[in-house]
Amino acid sequence: MDLNFSPEDETFRDEVATWFSENLSGDFKHVRYRGGSGDQSEMFAERREWERHMGRHGWSCIAWPKEYGGRDATLSQQVIFAEEYARAGGPGRTGHLGVELAGPTILAFGTDEQKKRFLPPIAAGDELWSQGFSEPNAGSDLANVRTKAWLEDGLNGKEWVIEGQKIWTSLAQFADWCFVVTRTEEGTQGHKGLSYLLVPLDQEGVDIRPIKQMTGDAEFNEVFFDGARTAAENVVGAPGDGWKVAMGTLAFERGASTLGQQMDFRNELYEIVEIAKRNGKIKDPHIRQRLADAWMRLKIMRANSLRMLTKAEKAELAPEALIYKIYWATWHRNLGELFMDILGDEAEIGDAAPYQLNGLQKVFLFSRADTIYAGTNQIQRNIIAERALGLPREPRGNT
Amino acid sequence: MNFAFTEEQELIRDSARKFLAEHATSERARAVMESDSGYDEALWANIAQEMGWAAMVVPEAYGGLGLGMVELVILQEEMGRRLACAPFFATSALAGQAVLFQGNEDQKSDLLGRIAAGELSASLAFSEPSMGWNLEDINATWRQDGDGFVLNGVKRHVVDGLDTDLLIIAARKEGSKGCEGLSLFALEGTLDGMACTRLVTMDQTRPQAQIELNNVSVSGSACLGAPGTAADALDKTLNIAALALAAEQVGGAQECLDKTVEYVKERVQFGRPIGSFQAVKHKCADMMVEVESARSAVYYAACIVDEGTDELAEVASMAKAYCSDTYFKCAGDAIQLHGGIGVTWEHDAHLYFKRARASRSYLGDPAYHRERVAKAIEAFDTSVDHFKYGGTV
Ligand SMILES: Cc1cc2nc3c(=O)[nH]c(=O)nc-3n(C[C@H](O)[C@H](O)[C@H](O)COP(=O)(O)OP(=O)(O)OC[C@H]3O[C@@H](n4cnc5c(N)ncnc54)[C@H](O)[C@@H]3O)c2cc1C
């Protein structure tokens, strides 16, 4: 057992850290620590410019092959990158749905033409993506998707026509594209007959309506498809094979892309420690216990992720991989509660009228969503029980 | 970065698992519980001599194998799975460490040499009636008497204390305070003025003794190292032992999970295996989340210890707090998910539950260890140059 990264990896860490310290300065100094979950619209234009800046220097999608704007980075390097990004105060990434979900999915399941068409603009920060999975009647039960699509002759040859509604679509209001799970075989149910389409959002048949969240911000949207169109070749995997591709995306969402986020969490925890020192709550025995618990669990989260990373590099399936999502989500939600209890009465008071909350309050409120998106805690428990422990699968009702 | 066992470490784990499954059975643990001897002597002889585990963490210079903390936690985890009744933990993780950190060369070659050869079992007499686990609270005393020393006081919660050949006694110089004046004395056999009583323990798989010292005269060479200088060694020893105990807790918790999963797959109620009920599935899933995280905590801490950084106290507390909670929760849930049979004497669930309860307090309970971490946090300079939320509140 060896916790040390290799000398090459450490060299890489230095290179990354140096680049950030030189580049998160000047014009970009003020985007440091801005945006991110709970605050997606904060300084969006500036953060988008930063995304382009990273892209120009080949730092936005390091995991990808060089030919598509990446650096062929190893998993270790990806984790190091994410850690250093957070350590340097890198802003919430405007392109993360493309960088972490759309891109890897296209890389894994797409055609060469799709890779050439879609990957470079993601890496350059020019095209932003969104995830069109959930529907009013397909949440945890994603296979219940009803949005339909069929092929028709259009002006530019064969096109998919899409009819239906997606909901909770994060950042769609800023996005250029959406990857949409649709039912393309009439009369099919469940996992069968689904296709994974890439749909441009700037067109007549698409209506995007932001939904205000409990934070007061609108991070997600309803997206209505009413005769929306996309070219016939914009299907990832074979038509009818969309379920497999969607599961691939979910694996990316729950997997390596989150391995480096402990460093963001660390920043939040450090901040609350400083506040507790200033307002005296650090002397409260009950708060001390909870702070210590949060501190330890964060270290353990990193240890879990290092175990997972080691196994992933050897292409082994690790039980740690299945526990990772529920562990971090629950930890972060508890941290939000701790934030508020440390602030005490001040926790109630926001920044400005009409409803401008401070960042700690937003973390508290938004972290309620952490245990819902990317598979709720209950769904995570089902997955752990069934896949890791071999317990019987959930029975299905009639839909 | 390779956060996984090496091939050699996997071999150690596999052979320990195989050996203990065969020898450290529930029948043999129950035989020990019903006998007067505190442990399974045949098992200890096997472990210490044939398997060579007593030599595992003793440095090569003193006749050991010179392996590290990772190897120690591997063995401890496997022993925890089986509730092995043998003074391995007391010898290797408590007394052996104390000798290593505080003994002079002669003492180390003698005592560690015999431990490594499997000839000497040993334990540490640290805690006292209503004392807890802070060095500062030691009340037992020593005073110089010619070339030797005289010891007084009462030691309690001495694991395997009545059954081991060697006892390391922690005491302070008469009149000293805090961490000053602490010494460790190595005593073999029962000396004049020494009374050892077996305490009735709820967990019968690991006995505890009370040792009363009434003007006990010991020779000068019984004092490990220089008199009055044992604070650091004791502190390190307790940290290492806490981590080793945490590893045992991981093994115990894993066994509770495995046995429970096996049972809920087979037991049928309402025409379905109870493991198909979500309330049951989710409890099992939660157990697994905690067990795997507890395991990560222990392996991570063990690596830190082997690297010799100054984080020993913090990672030991992290592991002990987390694994104590995990084991207790899993052992409790195991009983719950077994239903009526889970509360019988015949079923093994209570053996794990009682071990979980005992090891939760021993060497400091979760609240004690979290408080130690809290102290470290208070002293920690977060040194972030800019806070995301402005830090205005
Ligand atoms: C902030 C945020 C951002 C999101 N962004 C996106 C996005 O960009 N794109 C996208 O497609 N989706 C997105 N989602 C949607 C998200 O994936 C769904 O909310 C999630 O899958 C749950 O579905 P649901 O909301 O329909 O809840 P439901 O599935 O109706 O669940 C309601 C409750 O029932 C429980 N439940 C459901 N099924 C089971 C079961 N089998 N066993 C036990 N309990 C069960 C759930 O755990 C939950 O507690 C986002 C959600 C949030 C909160």
Side-chain angles (χ1 to χ4, degrees):
Chain A
M1 273 197 170
D2 182 3
L3 283 178
N4 295 303
F5 284 90
S6 69
E8 300 81 58
D9 282 344
E10 287 303 334
T11 309
F12 178 77
R13 187 186 291 280
D14 288 343
E15 189 190 348
V16 175
T18 307
W19 194 81
F20 285 139
S21 77
E22 285 169 359
N23 287 270
L24 271 170
S25 60
D27 283 352
F28 291 118
K29 194 160 181 210
H30 51 282
V31 301
R32 293 175 69 218
Y33 297 98
R34 297 293 141 205
S37 67
D39 234 345
Q40 286 296 0
S41 43
E42 191 184 26
M43 300 183 82
F44 194 87
E46 292 90 335
R47 282 160 50 215
R48 179 151 195 195
E49 201 38 51
W50 162 251
E51 193 79 21
R52 290 202 169 98
H53 182 76
M54 284 208 296
R56 276 192 291 278
H57 293 85
W59 286 115
S60 83
C61 299
I62 62 165
W64 300 3
K66 287 205 180 66
E67 54 178 320
Y68 302 121
R71 291 179 179 243
D72 290 305
T74 62
L75 262 179
S76 294
Q77 289 174 332
Q78 293 169 46
V79 170
I80 288 170
F81 177 86
E83 288 185 345
E84 292 309 315
Y85 189 81
R87 201 197 304 275
R93 296 201 50 185
T94 55
H96 74 273
L97 292 165
V99 173
E100 281 153 14
L101 304 185
T105 304
I106 291 168
L107 265 172
F109 300 97
T111 61
D112 280 347
E113 287 70 33
Q114 287 170 340
K115 292 177 195 169
K116 283 193 197 109
R117 161 62 188 86
F118 292 108
L119 298 179
I122 296 176
D126 287 333
E127 286 182 353
L128 301 183
W129 282 77
S130 56
Q131 176 180 19
F133 281 21
S134 305
E135 296 181 5
N137 286 309
S140 299
D141 187 12
L142 177 60
N144 202 32
V145 156
R146 306 231 170 110
T147 295
K148 290 184 292 189
W150 61 91
L151 280 171
E152 263 183 31
D153 286 322
L155 294 175
N156 311 307
K158 281 225 179 291
E159 290 179 333
W160 292 102
V161 182
I162 304 136
E163 210 50 78
Q165 183 196 349
K166 294 290 171 181
I167 195 168
W168 323 129
T169 320
S170 297
L171 306 180
Q173 69 270 50
F174 302 112
D176 305 287
W177 287 85
C178 187
F179 44 93
V180 185
V181 177
T182 57
R183 196 161 291 286
T184 48
E185 290 168 26
E186 224 184 308
T188 55
Q189 273 194 350
H191 306 171
K192 300 203 184 79
L194 299 174
S195 298
Y196 194 102
L197 304 184
L198 309 177
V199 183
L201 290 178
D202 186 12
Q203 58 168 307
E204 212 151 88
V206 175
D207 183 15
I208 299 172
R209 300 183 199 160
I211 304 173
K212 193 165 162 183
Q213 296 175 336
M214 66 199 286
T215 52
D217 290 342
E219 185 261 359
F220 53 33
N221 304 267
E222 284 178 292
V223 181
F224 295 89
F225 297 97
D226 183 10
R229 287 171 179 260
T230 193
E233 65 265 25
N234 287 343
V235 53
V236 184
D241 244 359
W243 182 256
K244 191 180 78 191
V245 184
M247 289 304 103
T249 305
L250 288 185
F252 294 123
E253 187 171 16
R254 292 167 192 167
S257 73
T258 54
L259 282 180
Q261 73 186 359
Q262 291 89 241
M263 200 59 80
D264 279 315
F265 292 162
R266 187 203 70 155
N267 290 350
E268 293 180 358
L269 183 57
Y270 280 6
E271 178 151 9
I272 199 65
V273 165
E274 284 309 310
I275 291 171
K277 283 181 185 172
R278 259 183 315 197
N279 75 4
K281 277 281 170 71
I282 193 117
K283 296 292 178 202
D284 175 332
H286 191 57
I287 292 289
R288 289 169 78 79
Q289 288 282 314
R290 290 170 63 193
L291 265 178
D293 194 55
W295 184 277
M296 288 168 9
R297 281 174 189 266
L298 181 58
K299 285 213 162 155
I300 293 170
M301 194 191 302
R302 181 153 194 272
N304 277 339
S305 80
L306 291 176
R307 275 176 73 196
M308 184 169 150
L309 174 64
T310 297
K311 289 263 177 74
E313 284 187 329
K314 296 178 187 159
E316 289 174 34
L317 179 77
E320 307 79 86
L322 293 174
I323 68 168
Y324 193 70
K325 163 76 206 324
I326 190 171
Y327 190 92
W328 76 252
T330 308
W331 181 90
H332 200 226
R333 193 176 67 184
N334 290 340
L335 186 75
E337 295 174 5
L338 181 58
F339 270 15
M340 295 300 102
D341 289 343
I342 284 177
L343 289 177
D345 291 328
E346 281 303 317
E348 264 312 294
I349 313 303
D351 278 353
Y355 196 67
Q356 178 60 44
L357 300 179
N358 65 46
L360 296 161
Q361 291 169 320
K362 285 184 187 170
V363 169
F364 166 64
L365 294 175
F366 193 80
S367 66
R368 304 319 288 191
D370 287 339
T371 53
I372 295 173
Y373 65 77
T376 69
N377 274 14
Q378 287 71 35
I379 295 300
Q380 297 301 332
R381 290 190 181 99
N382 284 347
I383 291 173
I384 293 167
E386 291 168 17
R387 294 194 207 154
L389 301 175
L391 293 176
R393 296 181 67 93
E394 289 294 297
R396 264 208 86 87
N398 299 321
T399 37
Chain B
M1 208 282 303
N2 182 34
F3 196 25
F5 294 144
T6 61
E7 261 173 50
E8 294 76 35
Q9 288 165 342
E10 277 183 10
L11 264 173
I12 292 172
R13 184 198 55 200
D14 293 347
S15 76
R17 187 169 297 177
K18 190 156 163 271
F19 173 83
L20 291 167
E22 198 176 317
H23 296 275
T25 56
S26 155
E27 294 73 49
R28 281 177 64 174
R30 285 166 183 271
V32 171
M33 286 160 55
E34 264 150 43
S35 76
D36 291 333
S37 91
Y39 61 85
D40 182 335
E41 282 160 33
L43 178 66
W44 171 240
N46 276 164
I47 284 177
Q49 289 159 12
E50 281 143 54
M51 302 299 288
W53 293 349
M56 196 75 83
V57 294
V58 172
E60 283 168 299
Y62 310 114
L65 298 171
L67 296 172
M69 197 67 211
V70 173
E71 286 79 8
L72 183 58
V73 302
I74 290 172
L75 291 182
Q76 280 289 107
E77 183 179 339
E78 295 308 321
M79 284 199 234
R81 265 179 201 263
R82 299 266 76 93
L83 301 180
C85 295
F88 175 80
F89 165 70
T91 304
S92 287
L94 284 165
Q97 302 292 332
V99 173
L100 179 65
F101 294 135
Q102 181 62 14
N104 61 33
E105 280 308 306
D106 287 347
Q107 290 163 333
K108 286 195 272 194
S109 13
D110 172 32
L111 298 175
L112 293 178
R114 285 191 284 148
I115 285 177
E119 294 162 10
L120 193 67
S121 62
S123 188
L124 175 71
F126 176 82
S127 195
E128 301 178 6
S130 57
M131 169 181 155
W133 298 93
N134 283 315
L135 306 187
E136 293 86 344
D137 298 335
I138 289 178
N139 276 318
T141 61
W142 60 268
R143 73 180 134 81
Q144 200 104 29
D145 180 32
D147 290 342
F149 300 90
V150 175
L151 309 183
N152 276 294
V154 181
K155 291 288 167 184
R156 203 168 158 86
H157 310 300
V158 185
V159 293
D160 299 317
L162 210 75
D163 313 288
T164 42
D165 310 313
L166 171 75
L167 278 181
I168 309 289
I169 311 262
R172 65 168 59 258
K173 189 173 178 180
E174 274 182 7
S176 70
K177 286 214 155 30
C179 290
E180 302 294 316
L182 297 177
S183 287
L184 292 171
F185 297 91
L187 312 189
E188 280 182 73
T190 309
L191 308 179
D192 277 348
M194 195 169 159
C196 305
T197 327
R198 190 186 294 286
L199 302 169
V200 176
T201 46
M202 193 152 64
D203 167 20
Q204 295 173 291
T205 65
R206 177 171 281 149
Q208 294 188 10
Q210 173 153 308
I211 317 267
E212 282 160 61
L213 303 157
N214 216 329
N215 287 319
V216 176
S217 292
V218 301
S219 69
S221 63
C223 178
L224 297 180
T229 63
D232 284 352
L234 252 178
D235 188 46
K236 265 201 207 156
T237 300
L238 294 180
N239 286 327
I240 299 241
L243 175 50
L245 192 57
E248 187 184 290
Q249 293 173 316
V250 170
Q254 179 73 59
E255 183 69 11
C256 290
L257 171 60
D258 291 350
K259 282 276 144 44
T260 302
V261 167
E262 221 172 84
Y263 184 74
V264 303
K265 282 178 184 168
E266 279 164 15
R267 169 75 177 163
V268 172
Q269 286 291 278
F270 301 94
R272 332 169 8 186
I274 56 171
S276 68
F277 294 113
Q278 207 174 61
V280 173
K281 281 169 80 170
H282 284 192
K283 234 182 182 34
C284 291
D286 284 340
M287 285 163 83
M288 179 172 155
V289 171
E290 295 307 317
V291 173
E292 288 301 335
S293 303
R295 177 170 285 127
S296 295
V298 164
Y299 294 172
Y300 177 81
C303 285
I304 296 276
V305 172
D306 283 343
E307 291 199 357
T309 70
D310 57 7
E311 292 167 82
L312 169 61
E314 192 188 324
V315 296
S317 280
M318 166 184 92
K320 181 62 172 53
Y322 200 89
C323 298
S324 292
D325 280 340
T326 297
Y327 192 9
F328 191 70
K329 174 184 154 49
C330 290
D333 287 350
I335 292 178
Q336 179 64 25
L337 294 181
H338 276 80
I341 196 148
V343 298
T344 61
W345 189 267
E346 187 192 348
H347 197 277
D348 283 347
H350 75 105
L351 302 184
Y352 288 87
F353 185 68
K354 289 169 180 173
R355 178 66 82 82
R357 181 38 253 166
S359 61
R360 188 173 161 84
S361 301
Y362 189 73
L363 297 175
D365 66 14
Y368 168 84
H369 283 286
R370 280 194 289 265
E371 173 56 28
R372 290 203 336 163
V373 172
K375 285 210 177 70
I377 295 172
E378 223 178 338
F380 185 79
D381 174 13
T382 51
S383 67
V384 174
D385 62 340
H386 176 105
F387 281 128
K388 185 169 177 182
Y389 307 115
T392 49
V393 261

